[in-house]
Amino acid sequence: MSTIYKNYLLQSEPNKFSQDALKAGEMIVNMGPQHPSTHGVLRLEVVTDGEIIQEVVPHIGYLHRCFEKHAESMAYNQTIPYVDRMDYLAAMNSEHVWCMGVEKLLGITDQIPKRVEYIRVLVTELNRIASHFVAIGTYAIDIGAFTPFLWLLRDREHIQRLLEWVSGARMLYNYIWVGGLYYDLPIGFEERCREFIDYLQPKLDELDTILLENKIFIDRTANVGILPLDVAINYGCSGPMLRGSGLKYDLRRVDGYSVYPELDFEVPIGQGLAGTTGDCWDRNYVRALECRESVKIIRQCLDQLTGDHKRTPDFDPQAACPKKMRMTGTQELYFRGETPRGELGYYFRTTDRSDVPFRAKGRAPSFVNLSVLPEISRGCMVADLIAIVGSVDIVLGEVDR
């Protein structure tokens, strides 16, 4: 290769490590393409010594939708469709956190009707299950198990249809609005949702049998990619990444937002049942248990939505939605919530009498969780790197900055 082409290559594919710095027997390998997102949006620069990984450097590609800049040029309620496109596998969760943050800025948190709150939690927990099904199913197929992927995508499709029935959209919903909802639940939704939950319960037992208890799956994930609790805390990891390392820390319990304090559910943590606490198996185990807890939450929401807070002819889900979102004074607020990937936070800085934020910043859990990848990959084999990256469960729409 001529010198001019080598220079072009270095400009287009910059590496942290150079060939001159390699020790004897080491080489630089660019991982990919395969899931998750290493087909272009994420490039892993790997320094190997034979089959053993010495260093891993994640190079982030281009998928981010310029969310912050959009948010700083339009009204708070107009930003919700852009929030959807960050974590596009759990758009309801992202909408929920954004709207609660804006409601706190406006001082209308206490004006949100209880039926609206229970509907919000219902749809976000449905979305949490759907997101975890993608995480577990694609993780299984990453390391060679095909059947769980088909089963989980089949059951996720039922959730997608329910959410499409509610909002009219399949993945990017724009359903949770500042102060309320786009629309009330469709007639018969509660009954159909309860039928689905009854159907889903035994399917989760099947998932345990075919995947979590599978000897091949355990051999590929147990004692691999171990994330010690102190490292997880120091890197700011959250969600199943943090809880998989043994810390019972869930913002739905810690911050107690919306109606979560009124609901009964547990916070699953990794316990090292198949290997070492904080390994790839534990992270997958926590996600599977969270699906069961979400089922419990959904049942309680359905009981409320068909009981004390059932639909009435005069119920208006947009009654508390402000027509103009004029902020009073200059305010700063950081508001956070628990999404399937961890702590999603939004920082707001407002200006007096303006319905457009002066500054908006998203703290995306996928971005933070990905940063710990080098720490948990050193000393592992190249084949294990695929299992480690998959266990982090990143969505690149909220990673790229």
Side-chain angles (χ1 to χ4, degrees), residues 73-87:
S73 61
M74 55 185 59
Y76 295 93
N77 55 337
Q78 293 177 317
T79 309
I80 296 171
Y82 296 96
V83 173
D84 284 336
R85 286 158 173 79
M86 290 178 64
D87 182 354

Side-chain angles (χ1 to χ4, degrees), residues 80-146:
I80 296 171
Y82 296 96
V83 173
D84 284 336
R85 286 158 173 79
M86 290 178 64
D87 182 354
Y88 43 79
L89 291 179
M92 287 291 191
N93 294 268
S94 303
E95 292 176 16
H96 194 198
V97 179
W98 174 267
C99 290
M100 286 190 297
V102 178
E103 287 159 5
K104 190 166 184 177
L105 284 171
L106 292 168
I108 61 172
T109 302
D110 297 335
Q111 301 175 25
I112 311 300
K114 271 301 178 69
R115 179 171 173 83
V116 167
E117 293 281 21
Y118 277 108
I119 292 174
R120 286 179 172 185
V121 172
L122 172 68
V123 294
T124 53
E125 293 304 319
L126 282 170
N127 212 174
R128 190 183 307 275
I129 296 174
S131 175
H132 281 337
F133 277 5
V134 173
I136 299 170
T138 54
Y139 185 54
I141 209 170
D142 282 347
I143 54 180
F146 197 74

Side-chain angles (χ1 to χ4, degrees), residues 316-391:
D316 180 8
Q318 299 181 20
C321 293
K323 300 298 182 284
K324 284 287 186 181
M325 300 186 188
R326 303 296 190 192
M327 299 296 172
T328 55
T330 301
Q331 304 180 58
E332 283 187 285
L333 173 69
Y334 176 76
F335 192 89
R336 61 184 186 171
E338 189 74 33
T339 72
R341 267 148 284 281
E343 178 184 331
L344 172 65
Y346 293 113
Y347 165 79
F348 303 91
R349 181 183 292 174
T350 72
T351 50
D352 192 26
R353 310 302 298 167
S354 174
D355 61 348
V356 177
F358 176 78
R359 182 76 175 94
K361 175 74 171 71
R363 187 268 187 205
S366 294
F367 181 80
V368 180
N369 291 343
L370 180 62
S371 68
V372 82
L373 182 64
E375 289 289 336
I376 62 179
S377 301
R378 292 191 192 100
C380 294
M381 300 186 72
V382 172
D384 290 335
L385 183 57
I386 307 303
I388 295 171
V389 176
S391 73

Side-chain angles (χ1 to χ4, degrees), residues 159-233:
I159 299 176
Q160 296 297 97
R161 289 173 180 172
L162 285 171
L163 295 179
E164 185 175 6
W165 189 20
V166 167
S167 66
R170 178 176 169 79
M171 287 181 67
L172 308 172
Y173 306 106
N174 191 16
Y175 178 67
I176 299 176
W177 284 7
V178 176
L181 302 167
Y182 162 65
Y183 202 71
D184 196 1
L185 295 177
I187 302 294
F189 182 88
E190 295 93 329
E191 293 75 14
R192 185 79 62 84
C193 188
R194 199 180 293 275
E195 289 175 8
F196 167 71
I197 292 301
D198 293 337
Y199 155 85
L200 187 64
Q201 198 81 48
K203 301 299 179 186
L204 296 175
D205 297 332
E206 290 179 0
L207 174 63
D208 289 349
T209 303
I210 196 174
L211 192 65
L212 294 180
E213 299 170 8
N214 185 295
K215 185 180 186 304
I216 300 173
F217 183 77
I218 292 173
D219 289 344
R220 290 287 281 114
T221 57
N223 298 313
V224 174
I226 299 168
L227 176 59
L229 181 56
D230 60 333
V231 176
I233 294 172

